[in-house]
Amino acid sequence: MDVSNELIAIAIVGVGLAGFVWNLSRDVRRVEVELRERMARVEGLLEGLRDSISGRREEGAR
């Protein structure tokens, strides 16, 4: 069976695209973890701000 140059080119492009998509998905997962950590920090800050404005923290200390 003869393999044409076009088939070889298609296979090379397919492997290249698969590698690109794999790296992209890995980077997206890494960024997602970082964003979750940052969001949790912001949520904690907002909770503290809300509690200090509403006076909940002072009421709980009594």
Side-chain angles (χ1 to χ4, degrees):
M1 178 176 183
D2 290 331
V3 178
S4 67
N5 290 337
E6 291 86 10
L7 186 59
I8 293 171
I10 290 170
I12 290 172
V13 169
V15 169
L17 284 173
F20 174 74
V21 169
W22 182 73
N23 280 329
L24 186 63
S25 67
R26 186 183 61 180
D27 291 344
V28 166
R29 278 185 255 127
R30 180 181 47 82
V31 169
E32 181 183 9
V33 169
E34 291 174 6
L35 286 176
R36 285 182 190 207
E37 291 173 359
R38 288 181 179 186
M39 196 175 347
R41 182 173 182 265
V42 170
E43 287 174 351
L45 291 171
L46 288 175
E47 255 183 61
L49 179 62
R50 183 191 65 209
D51 291 348
S52 66
I53 289 173
S54 66
R56 288 184 189 179
R57 186 172 292 173
E58 294 174 7
E59 291 174 6
R62 293 180 189 174

